[in-house]
C-alpha cells in the first residue's frame, strides 16, 4: 500500500482524484440528462433549437468572464495571498463585482437584440422555430449572470485548493435541468428544460458560495480597479478574451452546419460530444487544474527543474490514460449509446448516426486532453498570447475542414475536422512552451520586477 500511495502521489497531482471522481459524477448526471432528453424529446427539431439557443449567451459568458479568470486569476491571487491575505481577497471581490456587472450589461443587450441574433445564427429554421429560438435564448440569458459570479468564486476555490465545492457545482446545474424536464417536460417541452437550466445555474453559484465560507474570502462588492494587481490581471486577460470564445463559436458553427443536414443531426452531434468530453474532462481537465497551482508556484520560485518535472509527469500520465480511453470509446461507443440513449423516440437511425459521430470524435481525445496541461503551463509562466495563437490555428483548421467537407462527407466531417485542429493546437503549444520552460529563472525575475 505504501508503494501504491507513493506512485499515486507521484503521478496524480493533489486534488486530481477528487476532481476526477466528481467530474465522473457530473458526467453520470449528464448521461441521465441525455437519457431523459432522448426519452422525452428524441432527436427532434425542438431539442435542436434548445441546443442552439444556449450558444450565444455562452459566448458572451466565455468572452467577458471565463477568459479573464482561467488564465491570470490563480497566479495573481496566489501571489497576493503570500504577501497579504486581505489584499488578495479585495482583488478577488473586485474581479467578482466587475465580472457580474459586465455580464449583466452584455446579456441585457443580447436579450434586446435576440430577434436579430436569430436571423444570423438560426436562419435555417422556419418562422415558428426562430420564434422559439428567441424565447429560449432570452431565458438562457438569466442563468448566465449567475454563472459569471460562480466562475469567479470557482477560481477562488482553486487557488485555495478547495476542489470539492468547485466540482460539485456543475452536478447541481445538471440536476436542475433533469428535474425540470422530468417534472414539467411533457407539459411545457423544452421551455421547462431551459428554465431548469436557470435554476441549475443558481444552484451552481450557491454551492460555490458555500465553499468559500471554508476560506478567508467573503463575498461582497468592491471595485478597486486601479491597483497594480488588477492592471496585471487585465493585461493577461486581454489576449485570452480574443481566443476563449473559440469553443462556443465553434459549437455555433457546428450547430449551423448540422442544421443544414436535417432534423436530428444537431442532437446526434451533441450526444456524441457529451461522450467524447468525458475522458477529456476526467483526465485532461481535472489533472491539469490540480497541477496548475504547483506549476505557478514553481515558476514564481524560478525553479525550472521542479516546473519541468511536474509538467512532464502530468503530460505523460494524461497522454497514456487518454490514449487508452480513446481506444475504448472507439470500440464500445455504439454499445454505450444503444444502452444509454436507445429508448423512447430515439430510433435506430439516431443510434447509427450518433455512433458514427462518436467513433470519429474518439480520434481527438488524446490531442484535446493534452492541450490542457500545456496551456496551463503557459499560463503559469504568465503568458497568454502564445496560447491564443495556438488556439486560433487549431480553430482555423477545424472551421475550414468542417465547412469544406460537411456538404460532401456529411456530419462525420465535423468530428474529423475537430481532431485535426486539436492536433495542430497541441503541436504549437509544445513548440511555444519548450523555450519558455528553459528560461524560467530569467522569466520569473522579470515577472517579479514588473509586478
Amino acid at each position: 500500500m505504501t508503494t501504491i500511495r507513493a506512485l499515486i502521489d507521484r503521478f496524480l497531482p493533489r486534488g486530481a482524484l477528487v476532481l476526477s471522481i466528481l467530474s465522473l459524477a457530473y458526467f453520470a448526471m449528464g448521461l441521465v440528462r441525455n437519457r431523459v432528453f432522448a426519452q422525452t424529446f428524441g432527436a427532434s427539431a425542438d431539442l435542436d433549437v434548445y441546443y442552439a439557443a444556449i450558444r450565444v449567451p455562452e459566448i458572451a459568458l466565455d468572452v467577458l468572464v471565463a477568459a479573464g479568470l482561467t488564465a491570470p486569476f490563480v497566479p495573481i491571487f496566489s501571489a497576493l495571498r503570500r504577501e497579504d491575505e486581505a489584499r488578495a481577497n479585495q482583488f478577488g471581490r473586485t474581479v467578482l463585482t466587475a465580472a457580474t456587472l459586465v455580464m449583466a450589461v452584455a446579456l441585457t443587450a443580447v436579450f434586446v437584440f435576440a430577434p436579430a441574433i436569430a436571423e444570423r445564427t438560426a436562419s435555417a429554421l422556419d418562422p415558428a422555430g426562430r420564434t422559439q429560438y428567441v424565447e429560449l435564448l432570452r431565458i438562457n440569458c438569466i442563468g448566465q449572470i449567475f454563472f459569471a459570479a460562480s466562475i469567479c468564486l470557482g477560481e477562488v476555490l482553486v487557488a485555495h485548493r478547495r476542489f470539492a465545492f468547485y466540482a460539485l457545482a456543475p452536478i447541481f446545474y445538471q440536476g436542475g435541468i433533469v428535474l425540470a424536464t422530468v417534472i414539467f417536460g411533457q407539459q411545457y417541452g423544452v421551455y421547462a428544460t431551459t428554465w431548469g437550466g436557470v435554476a441549475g445555474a443558481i444552484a451552481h453559484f450557491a454551492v460555490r458560495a458555500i465553499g468559500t465560507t471554508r476560506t478567508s474570502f467573503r463575498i461582497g462588492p468592491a471595485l478597486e480597479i486601479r491597483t497594480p494587481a488588477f492592471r496585471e490581471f487585465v493585461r493577461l486577460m486581454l489576449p485570452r478574451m480574443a481566443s476563449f470564445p473559440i469553443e462556443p463559436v465553434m459549437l455555433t458553427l457546428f450547430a449551423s452546419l448540422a442544421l443544414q443536414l436535417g432534423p436530428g443531426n444537431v442532437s446526434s452531434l451533441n450526444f456524441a460530444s457529451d461522450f467524447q468530453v468525458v475522458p477529456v474532462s476526467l483526465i485532461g481537465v481535472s489533472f491539469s487544474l490540480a497541477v496548475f497551482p504547483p506549476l505557478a508556484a514553481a515558476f514564481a520560485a524560478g525553479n525550472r527543474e521542479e516546473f519541468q518535472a511536474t509538467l512532464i509527469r502530468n503530460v505523460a500520465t494524461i497522454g497514456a490514460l487518454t490514449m487508452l480511453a480513446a481506444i475504448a470509446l472507439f470500440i464500445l461507443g455504439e454499445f454505450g449509446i444503444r444502452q444509454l440513449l436507445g429508448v423512447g423516440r430515439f430510433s435506430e437511425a439516431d443510434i447509427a448516426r450518433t455512433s458514427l459521430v462518436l467513433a470519429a470524435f474518439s480520434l481527438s481525445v488524446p490531442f484535446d486532453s493534452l492541450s490542457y496541461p500545456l496551456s496551463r503551463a503557459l499560463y503559469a509562466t504568465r503568458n497568454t498570447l502564445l496560447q491564443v495563437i495556438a488556439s486560433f490555428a487549431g480553430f482555423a483548421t477545424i472551421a475550414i475542414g468542417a465547412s469544406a467537407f460537411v456538404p460532401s462527407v456529411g456530419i462525420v466531417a465535423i468530428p474529423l475536422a475537430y481532431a485535426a485542429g486539436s492536433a495542430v493546437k497541441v503541436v504549437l503549444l509544445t513548440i511555444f512552451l519548450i523555450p519558455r520552460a528553459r528560461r524560467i529563472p530569467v522569466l520569473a525575475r522579470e515577472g517579479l520586477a514588473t509586478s
Side-chain angles (χ1 to χ4, degrees), residues 66-76 155 232 235-237 239-241 243-244 288-289 291-293 295-297 299-300 307 311 371-391 425 429 433 436:
L69 296 174
T70 57
F73 186 93
V74 170
I76 295 174
E155 294 303 306
E232 174 73 359
R235 182 186 71 82
L236 295 173
M237 175 185 69
R240 286 284 296 153
M241 290 181 68
S243 72
F244 209 82
S288 301
L289 183 62
V291 85
F292 190 25
L295 286 174
F299 174 79
F307 183 96
L311 177 61
S371 69
Y372 288 95
L374 297 174
S375 294
R376 293 281 182 182
L378 280 173
Y379 302 155
T381 66
R382 296 200 176 189
N383 183 286
T384 53
L385 181 59
L386 293 175
Q387 195 274 347
V388 170
I389 295 172
S391 295
K425 181 178 178 179
L429 287 172
L433 184 58
R436 288 192 67 81

Side-chain angles (χ1 to χ4, degrees), residues 52 115-127 129-130 133 256 259-260:
I117 293 171
E119 291 295 329
R120 297 281 296 178
T121 62
S123 58
L125 298 174
D126 59 24
R130 283 198 296 274
Y133 177 94
S256 179
L259 281 172
Q260 299 173 19

Side-chain angles (χ1 to χ4, degrees), residues 177-217:
I177 294 174
V178 170
L179 285 175
T181 304
V182 169
I183 297 173
F184 302 110
Q186 293 294 340
Q187 183 176 1
Y188 299 105
V190 291
Y191 289 92
T193 302
T194 307
W195 279 112
V198 174
I202 296 172
H204 193 286
F205 169 79
V207 168
R208 288 185 174 174
I210 293 170
T212 61
T213 63
R214 304 285 186 94
T215 72
S216 63
F217 181 84

